[in-house]
PDB file of all heavy atoms in Angstrom:
ATOM      1  N   ALA A 909      -0.510  16.285 -24.415  1.00  0.00           N
ATOM      2  CA  ALA A 909       0.374  16.667 -23.333  1.00  0.00           C
ATOM      3  C   ALA A 909       1.180  17.939 -23.733  1.00  0.00           C
ATOM      4  O   ALA A 909       1.688  18.664 -22.864  1.00  0.00           O
ATOM      5  CB  ALA A 909       1.235  15.562 -22.915  1.00  0.00           C
ATOM      6  N   LEU A 910       1.351  18.073 -25.032  1.00  0.00           N
ATOM      7  CA  LEU A 910       2.117  19.213 -25.554  1.00  0.00           C
ATOM      8  C   LEU A 910       1.229  20.425 -25.734  1.00  0.00           C
ATOM      9  O   LEU A 910       0.061  20.283 -25.925  1.00  0.00           O
ATOM     10  CB  LEU A 910       2.772  18.814 -26.887  1.00  0.00           C
ATOM     11  CG  LEU A 910       3.617  17.536 -26.871  1.00  0.00           C
ATOM     12  CD1 LEU A 910       3.940  17.179 -28.270  1.00  0.00           C
ATOM     13  CD2 LEU A 910       4.892  17.725 -26.018  1.00  0.00           C
ATOM     14  N   ALA A 911       1.832  21.576 -25.665  1.00  0.00           N
ATOM     15  CA  ALA A 911       1.063  22.827 -25.899  1.00  0.00           C
ATOM     16  C   ALA A 911       0.558  22.886 -27.307  1.00  0.00           C
ATOM     17  O   ALA A 911       1.153  22.283 -28.240  1.00  0.00           O
ATOM     18  CB  ALA A 911       1.946  24.043 -25.595  1.00  0.00           C
ATOM     19  N   PRO A 912      -0.549  23.586 -27.526  1.00  0.00           N
ATOM     20  CA  PRO A 912      -1.056  23.726 -28.875  1.00  0.00           C
ATOM     21  C   PRO A 912       0.001  24.311 -29.837  1.00  0.00           C
ATOM     22  O   PRO A 912       0.802  25.140 -29.449  1.00  0.00           O
ATOM     23  CB  PRO A 912      -2.247  24.710 -28.715  1.00  0.00           C
ATOM     24  CG  PRO A 912      -2.607  24.595 -27.291  1.00  0.00           C
ATOM     25  CD  PRO A 912      -1.372  24.329 -26.556  1.00  0.00           C
ATOM     26  N   MET A 913      -0.045  23.892 -31.089  1.00  0.00           N
ATOM     27  CA  MET A 913       0.937  24.307 -32.101  1.00  0.00           C
ATOM     28  C   MET A 913       0.441  25.473 -32.884  1.00  0.00           C
ATOM     29  O   MET A 913       1.189  26.392 -33.252  1.00  0.00           O
ATOM     30  CB  MET A 913       1.323  23.144 -32.951  1.00  0.00           C
ATOM     31  CG  MET A 913       1.972  22.025 -32.218  1.00  0.00           C
ATOM     32  SD  MET A 913       2.255  20.569 -33.178  1.00  0.00           S
ATOM     33  CE  MET A 913       3.444  21.066 -34.362  1.00  0.00           C
ATOM     34  N   LEU A 914      -0.834  25.473 -33.287  1.00  0.00           N
ATOM     35  CA  LEU A 914      -1.358  26.492 -34.245  1.00  0.00           C
ATOM     36  C   LEU A 914      -2.419  27.388 -33.562  1.00  0.00           C
ATOM     37  O   LEU A 914      -2.464  28.553 -33.903  1.00  0.00           O
ATOM     38  CB  LEU A 914      -1.959  25.789 -35.476  1.00  0.00           C
ATOM     39  CG  LEU A 914      -2.436  26.615 -36.598  1.00  0.00           C
ATOM     40  CD1 LEU A 914      -1.391  27.587 -37.130  1.00  0.00           C
ATOM     41  CD2 LEU A 914      -3.025  25.741 -37.679  1.00  0.00           C
ATOM     42  N   SER A 915      -3.171  26.791 -32.749  1.00  0.00           N
ATOM     43  CA  SER A 915      -4.262  27.561 -32.053  1.00  0.00           C
ATOM     44  C   SER A 915      -4.045  27.699 -30.623  1.00  0.00           C
ATOM     45  O   SER A 915      -3.082  27.109 -30.086  1.00  0.00           O
ATOM     46  CB  SER A 915      -5.603  26.813 -32.280  1.00  0.00           C
ATOM     47  OG  SER A 915      -5.857  26.639 -33.669  1.00  0.00           O
ATOM     48  N   GLY A 916      -4.885  28.384 -29.904  1.00  0.00           N
ATOM     49  CA  GLY A 916      -4.761  28.497 -28.466  1.00  0.00           C
ATOM     50  C   GLY A 916      -5.310  27.277 -27.733  1.00  0.00           C
ATOM     51  O   GLY A 916      -5.114  27.176 -26.473  1.00  0.00           O
ATOM     52  N   LEU A 917      -5.894  26.405 -28.439  1.00  0.00           N
ATOM     53  CA  LEU A 917      -6.566  25.164 -27.829  1.00  0.00           C
ATOM     54  C   LEU A 917      -6.131  23.914 -28.527  1.00  0.00           C
ATOM     55  O   LEU A 917      -5.684  23.990 -29.692  1.00  0.00           O
ATOM     56  CB  LEU A 917      -8.026  25.275 -27.868  1.00  0.00           C
ATOM     57  CG  LEU A 917      -8.771  26.321 -27.040  1.00  0.00           C
ATOM     58  CD1 LEU A 917     -10.220  26.316 -27.391  1.00  0.00           C
ATOM     59  CD2 LEU A 917      -8.616  25.978 -25.540  1.00  0.00           C
ATOM     60  N   ARG A 918      -6.326  22.825 -27.889  1.00  0.00           N
ATOM     61  CA  ARG A 918      -6.319  21.507 -28.505  1.00  0.00           C
ATOM     62  C   ARG A 918      -7.764  20.991 -28.337  1.00  0.00           C
ATOM     63  O   ARG A 918      -8.326  21.056 -27.239  1.00  0.00           O
ATOM     64  CB  ARG A 918      -5.360  20.542 -27.836  1.00  0.00           C
ATOM     65  CG  ARG A 918      -3.955  20.990 -28.025  1.00  0.00           C
ATOM     66  CD  ARG A 918      -3.162  19.805 -28.492  1.00  0.00           C
ATOM     67  NE  ARG A 918      -1.721  20.233 -28.641  1.00  0.00           N
ATOM     68  CZ  ARG A 918      -0.943  19.720 -29.487  1.00  0.00           C
ATOM     69  NH1 ARG A 918      -1.372  18.801 -30.243  1.00  0.00           N
ATOM     70  NH2 ARG A 918       0.252  20.074 -29.544  1.00  0.00           N
ATOM     71  N   VAL A 919      -8.350  20.433 -29.407  1.00  0.00           N
ATOM     72  CA  VAL A 919      -9.709  19.927 -29.339  1.00  0.00           C
ATOM     73  C   VAL A 919      -9.646  18.469 -29.686  1.00  0.00           C
ATOM     74  O   VAL A 919      -9.060  18.067 -30.668  1.00  0.00           O
ATOM     75  CB  VAL A 919     -10.666  20.653 -30.311  1.00  0.00           C
ATOM     76  CG1 VAL A 919     -12.082  20.056 -30.272  1.00  0.00           C
ATOM     77  CG2 VAL A 919     -10.777  22.120 -29.948  1.00  0.00           C
ATOM     78  N   ILE A 920     -10.370  17.637 -28.864  1.00  0.00           N
ATOM     79  CA  ILE A 920     -10.404  16.218 -29.053  1.00  0.00           C
ATOM     80  C   ILE A 920     -11.852  15.864 -29.333  1.00  0.00           C
ATOM     81  O   ILE A 920     -12.781  16.239 -28.563  1.00  0.00           O
ATOM     82  CB  ILE A 920      -9.960  15.473 -27.792  1.00  0.00           C
ATOM     83  CG1 ILE A 920      -8.568  15.868 -27.418  1.00  0.00           C
ATOM     84  CG2 ILE A 920     -10.084  13.943 -27.930  1.00  0.00           C
ATOM     85  CD1 ILE A 920      -8.197  15.615 -25.982  1.00  0.00           C
ATOM     86  N   ILE A 921     -12.123  15.116 -30.386  1.00  0.00           N
ATOM     87  CA  ILE A 921     -13.483  14.607 -30.690  1.00  0.00           C
ATOM     88  C   ILE A 921     -13.421  13.086 -30.585  1.00  0.00           C
ATOM     89  O   ILE A 921     -12.606  12.448 -31.254  1.00  0.00           O
ATOM     90  CB  ILE A 921     -13.932  14.954 -32.099  1.00  0.00           C
ATOM     91  CG1 ILE A 921     -14.015  16.532 -32.243  1.00  0.00           C
ATOM     92  CG2 ILE A 921     -15.321  14.352 -32.406  1.00  0.00           C
ATOM     93  CD1 ILE A 921     -14.382  16.997 -33.635  1.00  0.00           C
ATOM     94  N   ILE A 922     -14.235  12.529 -29.695  1.00  0.00           N
ATOM     95  CA  ILE A 922     -14.253  11.081 -29.515  1.00  0.00           C
ATOM     96  C   ILE A 922     -15.668  10.651 -30.022  1.00  0.00           C
ATOM     97  O   ILE A 922     -16.685  10.838 -29.354  1.00  0.00           O
ATOM     98  CB  ILE A 922     -14.059  10.621 -28.078  1.00  0.00           C
ATOM     99  CG1 ILE A 922     -12.653  11.096 -27.585  1.00  0.00           C
ATOM    100  CG2 ILE A 922     -14.167   9.101 -27.981  1.00  0.00           C
ATOM    101  CD1 ILE A 922     -12.382  10.775 -26.197  1.00  0.00           C
ATOM    102  N   ASP A 923     -15.701  10.066 -31.219  1.00  0.00           N
ATOM    103  CA  ASP A 923     -16.929   9.630 -31.888  1.00  0.00           C
ATOM    104  C   ASP A 923     -17.328   8.278 -31.306  1.00  0.00           C
ATOM    105  O   ASP A 923     -16.426   7.452 -31.143  1.00  0.00           O
ATOM    106  CB  ASP A 923     -16.727   9.610 -33.363  1.00  0.00           C
ATOM    107  CG  ASP A 923     -18.094   9.581 -34.151  1.00  0.00           C
ATOM    108  OD1 ASP A 923     -19.121   9.745 -33.542  1.00  0.00           O
ATOM    109  OD2 ASP A 923     -18.011   9.348 -35.358  1.00  0.00           O
ATOM    110  N   ASP A 924     -18.563   8.048 -31.125  1.00  0.00           N
ATOM    111  CA  ASP A 924     -19.082   6.830 -30.603  1.00  0.00           C
ATOM    112  C   ASP A 924     -18.353   6.440 -29.260  1.00  0.00           C
ATOM    113  O   ASP A 924     -17.884   5.356 -29.041  1.00  0.00           O
ATOM    114  CB  ASP A 924     -18.966   5.667 -31.579  1.00  0.00           C
ATOM    115  CG  ASP A 924     -20.002   5.735 -32.727  1.00  0.00           C
ATOM    116  OD1 ASP A 924     -21.033   6.245 -32.491  1.00  0.00           O
ATOM    117  OD2 ASP A 924     -19.666   5.284 -33.768  1.00  0.00           O
ATOM    118  N   ALA A 925     -18.288   7.448 -28.387  1.00  0.00           N
ATOM    119  CA  ALA A 925     -17.624   7.317 -27.085  1.00  0.00           C
ATOM    120  C   ALA A 925     -18.162   6.164 -26.291  1.00  0.00           C
ATOM    121  O   ALA A 925     -17.449   5.573 -25.446  1.00  0.00           O
ATOM    122  CB  ALA A 925     -17.690   8.609 -26.254  1.00  0.00           C
ATOM    123  N   HIS A 926     -19.416   5.802 -26.505  1.00  0.00           N
ATOM    124  CA  HIS A 926     -20.021   4.628 -25.797  1.00  0.00           C
ATOM    125  C   HIS A 926     -19.337   3.325 -26.157  1.00  0.00           C
ATOM    126  O   HIS A 926     -19.585   2.316 -25.530  1.00  0.00           O
ATOM    127  CB  HIS A 926     -21.557   4.593 -26.028  1.00  0.00           C
ATOM    128  CG  HIS A 926     -21.885   4.492 -27.477  1.00  0.00           C
ATOM    129  ND1 HIS A 926     -21.929   5.618 -28.272  1.00  0.00           N
ATOM    130  CD2 HIS A 926     -22.183   3.443 -28.225  1.00  0.00           C
ATOM    131  CE1 HIS A 926     -22.226   5.206 -29.542  1.00  0.00           C
ATOM    132  NE2 HIS A 926     -22.438   3.896 -29.491  1.00  0.00           N
ATOM    133  N   LEU A 927     -18.575   3.301 -27.202  1.00  0.00           N
ATOM    134  CA  LEU A 927     -17.877   2.136 -27.683  1.00  0.00           C
ATOM    135  C   LEU A 927     -16.466   1.990 -27.088  1.00  0.00           C
ATOM    136  O   LEU A 927     -15.640   1.137 -27.533  1.00  0.00           O
ATOM    137  CB  LEU A 927     -17.833   2.027 -29.174  1.00  0.00           C
ATOM    138  CG  LEU A 927     -19.216   1.769 -29.840  1.00  0.00           C
ATOM    139  CD1 LEU A 927     -19.109   1.778 -31.344  1.00  0.00           C
ATOM    140  CD2 LEU A 927     -19.920   0.530 -29.277  1.00  0.00           C
ATOM    141  N   MET A 928     -16.140   2.850 -26.105  1.00  0.00           N
ATOM    142  CA  MET A 928     -14.789   2.688 -25.486  1.00  0.00           C
ATOM    143  C   MET A 928     -14.775   1.317 -24.757  1.00  0.00           C
ATOM    144  O   MET A 928     -15.809   0.964 -24.134  1.00  0.00           O
ATOM    145  CB  MET A 928     -14.558   3.790 -24.416  1.00  0.00           C
ATOM    146  CG  MET A 928     -14.216   5.149 -25.067  1.00  0.00           C
ATOM    147  SD  MET A 928     -13.586   6.365 -23.916  1.00  0.00           S
ATOM    148  CE  MET A 928     -15.187   7.047 -23.418  1.00  0.00           C
ATOM    149  N   ASN A 929     -13.736   0.630 -24.930  1.00  0.00           N
ATOM    150  CA  ASN A 929     -13.632  -0.740 -24.240  1.00  0.00           C
ATOM    151  C   ASN A 929     -13.548  -0.486 -22.745  1.00  0.00           C
ATOM    152  O   ASN A 929     -13.531   0.593 -22.222  1.00  0.00           O
ATOM    153  CB  ASN A 929     -12.575  -1.584 -24.820  1.00  0.00           C
ATOM    154  CG  ASN A 929     -11.114  -1.009 -24.474  1.00  0.00           C
ATOM    155  OD1 ASN A 929     -10.983  -0.210 -23.683  1.00  0.00           O
ATOM    156  ND2 ASN A 929     -10.170  -1.606 -25.156  1.00  0.00           N
ATOM    157  N   VAL A 930     -13.502  -1.536 -21.991  1.00  0.00           N
ATOM    158  CA  VAL A 930     -13.527  -1.456 -20.546  1.00  0.00           C
ATOM    159  C   VAL A 930     -12.498  -0.582 -19.928  1.00  0.00           C
ATOM    160  O   VAL A 930     -12.737   0.132 -18.940  1.00  0.00           O
ATOM    161  CB  VAL A 930     -13.476  -2.936 -19.908  1.00  0.00           C
ATOM    162  CG1 VAL A 930     -13.468  -2.920 -18.411  1.00  0.00           C
ATOM    163  CG2 VAL A 930     -14.527  -3.789 -20.447  1.00  0.00           C
ATOM    164  N   ILE A 931     -11.287  -0.588 -20.439  1.00  0.00           N
ATOM    165  CA  ILE A 931     -10.118   0.140 -19.893  1.00  0.00           C
ATOM    166  C   ILE A 931     -10.127   1.640 -20.369  1.00  0.00           C
ATOM    167  O   ILE A 931      -9.736   2.469 -19.646  1.00  0.00           O
ATOM    168  CB  ILE A 931      -8.826  -0.526 -20.223  1.00  0.00           C
ATOM    169  CG1 ILE A 931      -8.871  -1.973 -19.716  1.00  0.00           C
ATOM    170  CG2 ILE A 931      -7.661   0.164 -19.640  1.00  0.00           C
ATOM    171  CD1 ILE A 931      -7.754  -2.823 -20.264  1.00  0.00           C
ATOM    172  N   SER A 932     -10.546   1.873 -21.573  1.00  0.00           N
ATOM    173  CA  SER A 932     -10.429   3.253 -22.178  1.00  0.00           C
ATOM    174  C   SER A 932     -11.059   4.332 -21.344  1.00  0.00           C
ATOM    175  O   SER A 932     -10.417   5.382 -21.137  1.00  0.00           O
ATOM    176  CB  SER A 932     -11.007   3.196 -23.577  1.00  0.00           C
ATOM    177  OG  SER A 932     -10.322   2.361 -24.411  1.00  0.00           O
ATOM    178  N   PRO A 933     -12.275   4.220 -20.816  1.00  0.00           N
ATOM    179  CA  PRO A 933     -12.841   5.339 -20.034  1.00  0.00           C
ATOM    180  C   PRO A 933     -11.971   5.746 -18.840  1.00  0.00           C
ATOM    181  O   PRO A 933     -11.829   6.935 -18.513  1.00  0.00           O
ATOM    182  CB  PRO A 933     -14.192   4.766 -19.594  1.00  0.00           C
ATOM    183  CG  PRO A 933     -14.540   3.680 -20.487  1.00  0.00           C
ATOM    184  CD  PRO A 933     -13.206   3.103 -20.923  1.00  0.00           C
ATOM    185  N   ASN A 934     -11.374   4.698 -18.211  1.00  0.00           N
ATOM    186  CA  ASN A 934     -10.524   5.111 -17.031  1.00  0.00           C
ATOM    187  C   ASN A 934      -9.239   5.819 -17.514  1.00  0.00           C
ATOM    188  O   ASN A 934      -8.700   6.569 -16.761  1.00  0.00           O
ATOM    189  CB  ASN A 934     -10.261   3.832 -16.209  1.00  0.00           C
ATOM    190  CG  ASN A 934     -11.440   3.288 -15.510  1.00  0.00           C
ATOM    191  OD1 ASN A 934     -12.206   4.041 -14.942  1.00  0.00           O
ATOM    192  ND2 ASN A 934     -11.696   2.002 -15.575  1.00  0.00           N
ATOM    193  N   SER A 935      -8.840   5.466 -18.706  1.00  0.00           N
ATOM    194  CA  SER A 935      -7.579   6.144 -19.235  1.00  0.00           C
ATOM    195  C   SER A 935      -7.780   7.625 -19.504  1.00  0.00           C
ATOM    196  O   SER A 935      -6.879   8.370 -19.303  1.00  0.00           O
ATOM    197  CB  SER A 935      -7.145   5.444 -20.515  1.00  0.00           C
ATOM    198  OG  SER A 935      -6.796   4.092 -20.291  1.00  0.00           O
TER     199      SER A 935
END
């Protein structure tokens, strides 16, 4: 939610995204 601190972007890597529990994908 905060602006990037060091770069112009924020990058999120979600490994094994298929293992998100029932609520996580909607979040």
Side-chain angles (χ1 to χ4, degrees):
L910 305 170
M913 296 172 68
L914 183 58
S915 301
L917 289 173
R918 294 230 182 209
V919 178
I920 302 157
I921 299 174
I922 302 178
D923 196 9
D924 287 331
H926 58 279
L927 293 178
M928 286 190 272
N929 69 13
V930 178
I931 302 167
S932 297
N934 291 317
S935 296

